[in-house]
Amino acid sequence: MIRGINRQIIDVQDTGSTYYERAYLVVKPEFASAERELLEKEARKVLKSMDAPSGMKRANTKLAWFIRLLAAAGLGAGIMAICAFAF
């Protein structure tokens, strides 16, 4: 179904993000008469505050915990080896 609703949309082509190439932001009707430069400035501010997609964060978090676990196990094994040979 196609609806004929007229909305002002800001198209940001250079998002400055490594994850997003382009963004479309729909302007609220009460701010449609605002200056275009102000709307674009706010759009860029919103895009800068965006972070990596949640799936990528989760993968990076799991990898970081795995590396920490390996480091802790290696450190524990090293301490035990030093104690075993010292006594």
Side-chain angles (χ1 to χ4, degrees), residues 25-58:
L25 298 166
V26 180
V27 179
K28 290 183 179 180
E30 59 265 19
F31 298 109
S33 62
E35 291 182 22
R36 179 143 183 100
E37 293 150 5
L38 176 65
L39 292 174
E40 288 178 359
K41 181 180 175 185
E42 285 297 315
R44 292 195 191 285
K45 188 189 308 182
V46 167
L47 291 173
K48 283 184 181 179
S49 68
M50 290 178 63
D51 205 2
S54 60
M56 295 186 81
K57 282 186 196 174
R58 198 172 304 122

Side-chain angles (χ1 to χ4, degrees), residues 2 5 8 17 25 31 35 46 49 58 61 63 69-70 72-74 76 78 80 83-84:
I2 299 175
I5 296 177
Q8 185 176 2
S17 171
L25 298 166
F31 298 109
E35 291 182 22
V46 167
S49 68
R58 198 172 304 122
T61 304
L63 178 64
L69 181 64
L70 286 177
M80 288 304 293
C83 290

Side-chain angles (χ1 to χ4, degrees), residues 5 11-12 22 48 51 62:
I5 296 177
D11 175 20
V12 181
R22 190 175 207 169
K48 283 184 181 179
D51 205 2
K62 287 180 183 177

Side-chain angles (χ1 to χ4, degrees), residues 66-81:
F66 183 70
I67 291 172
R68 287 180 188 163
L69 181 64
L70 286 177
L75 182 63
I79 291 173
M80 288 304 293

